[in-house]
Amino acid sequence: MISNMKNIDFYIDAIRSRAEEFHINEGRPLSYFIRTFGCQQNDNDSEISAGLLEHMSLEAAPNIEEADVVIFNTCSVRENADRRFYGNLGNLKTWRSEEKQRRIGVMGCMPGQDTHNSVLKESFPYIDFLLNAGDMGNLPRALYESSSQKKHSIVDLTDQAKEMTYPSLPVKRENKHRALISIMSGCNNFCTYCIVPYARGRESSRDPLVILAEARAAVDNGAKEIMLIGQNVNSYGNDMRSKGEKDFPSFARLIEEIARIPDLSVLRYMTSHPKDLSDELIEVIGKYETIEAHIHLPLQSGSNRLLKKMNRRYTAEHYLELVNKLRSARPGISISTDIIVGFPGETEEDFEDTLRLMETVKFDRAFTFIYSPRSGTPAADWSQNVSDLDIQERFERLLDLQNKHSVESNERCLGKNLYVLVSGLSKTDDETFSGRTKDDRLVNFSLPEESETDDQILTARGKPLSSTIADGSEVFVKITKAKAHSLEGVFVGLA
Ligand code: SAH
Ligand code: SF4
Ligand code: F3S
């Protein structure tokens, strides 16, 4: 497809023979470990990298120390993600020097940015290869070149195009029930605070037929849920249509096609940008039961002055209009959002505009972030006249208000029997299962007391998790408790 793609099979075959030779010589498989930071886009890129590595006969290691190849899939959307990664990388210097064949690769959103690229090369010269975000197609080549060298030097493939370079690659899914599918890469929006367009390049939409084939294959392999991902899924296809492909489908047409796949239970998608949320899409969201009763619609700020400075290209009024349209097209739809506090120049009035908008919309959930200057973005050069103390105080007021709304929203579920798609055992306790409702609420639930005689419950209780309630089970849960970030309940029956 793209020039280096004609060689991918060559690199795959070469690495596979080396991995097989290693297995024979060492009596154990060559192993890998991937540490992923950031958003679902990175999660999916890591799943594809793992799929490719296993396709080349490497096996997953239980932790970094026991792996032969370690890959960091990086994020730089806010400063704390940067810091955690550099800390991890610093710890690996000795590990890398202990065994000659060990390799360290860095991919994701950092290596392609000039500042990070130089820091990586200068401060961590023991790294073996650098790849752009989404460039899994070059992973076999990076591994090959870095293991063919006589003398160590960093193989830097970040000069390759940032746009998605693969049609379909092997994938090893993290969850059995949920298939993440990237429908596009990059972002054209250049919100003034955001590094993503610099890290991931311009929007580039994948072929709808390839996406559809991947979605069908995922469902055939047992996925109950599909999540379509892109930084701004609502502008899917704009790049192709502006290149003259008039019939390239819109996101509304694409999601409609996927929603019709038989045996698919829940179709999720993120992220939606308010400026591109069309009436056509709202209509489709209202029409298909399979499409989740939820939308993630980042607001960022309720102040028109700040929205303009952020280059978001919508107003608070337009946002409210969208919320109303969504709620009439799909009654009960849950709405989650992202909000930034402490954007340069944010006044108390700006902040109060945000609180007011939150009061009007009453978001079901919100992810709230303290503004983090990202070098290379326009806002990083703007003077920050809000003190850390004010930012912290605003952040807490915002959290308090959102927690109140989240609890109220969850309380509306009390006493109801809700459909839950199970993801497995709860993270904190092995008697409790976890899953999500169609409107994306996290539910932790247990099995009822022994006195229940329902056959289904007895079967579920007496058998190992894998053969009864497990990742991918569809159940009904009676909701007994509402918290800010989750619901609790009791298993009622299989859905
Ligand atoms: N494409 C998506 C997600 C981008 S990153 C979107 O447009 O919404 C996820 C969230 O991180 C953003 O919505 C924003 O709220 C937050 N974010 C991005 N850059 C940030 C920065 N420099 N400081 C603080 N939060 C930021
Ligand atoms: Fe960043 Fe804005 Fe693009 Fe989202 S839409 S990735 S916030 S530039
Ligand atoms: Fe982070 Fe890149 Fe995603 S910067 S949030 S991993 S697009």
Side-chain angles (χ1 to χ4, degrees), residues 27 43 61 64 107 132 139 198 287 305 374 379 404 450:
D43 290 340
I64 288 188
M107 56 189 284
N132 275 330
L139 176 59
Y198 308 90
K287 193 162 147 198
R305 196 182 74 85
R374 304 285 65 205
K404 180 169 152 271
E450 295 290 356

Side-chain angles (χ1 to χ4, degrees), residues 37-42 74-77 108-109 195-196 199-200 231:
F37 299 84
C39 62
Q40 271 98 354
Q41 198 126 33
N42 265 13
T74 57
C75 168
S76 70
V77 77
C109 287
I195 199 68
V196 173
R200 286 198 175 257
Q231 294 304 328

Side-chain angles (χ1 to χ4, degrees), residues 111-123:
Q113 295 173 49
D114 292 345
T115 37
H116 287 302
N117 192 283
S118 316
V119 173
L120 286 165
K121 286 180 175 157
E122 281 154 25
S123 307

Side-chain angles (χ1 to χ4, degrees), residues 187 189-191 193-194 196-197 231 273 300 312:
C187 183
N189 293 316
F190 291 94
C191 303
Y193 50 81
C194 183
V196 173
Q231 294 304 328
H273 193 305
Q300 315 300 0
R312 290 291 288 178

Side-chain angles (χ1 to χ4, degrees), residues 77-78 193 231 271 298 300 338 340 369-372 374:
V77 77
R78 285 171 296 274
Y193 50 81
Q231 294 304 328
T271 301
Q300 315 300 0
D338 292 344
I340 298 177
F369 306 105
I370 288 180
Y371 168 71
S372 166
R374 304 285 65 205

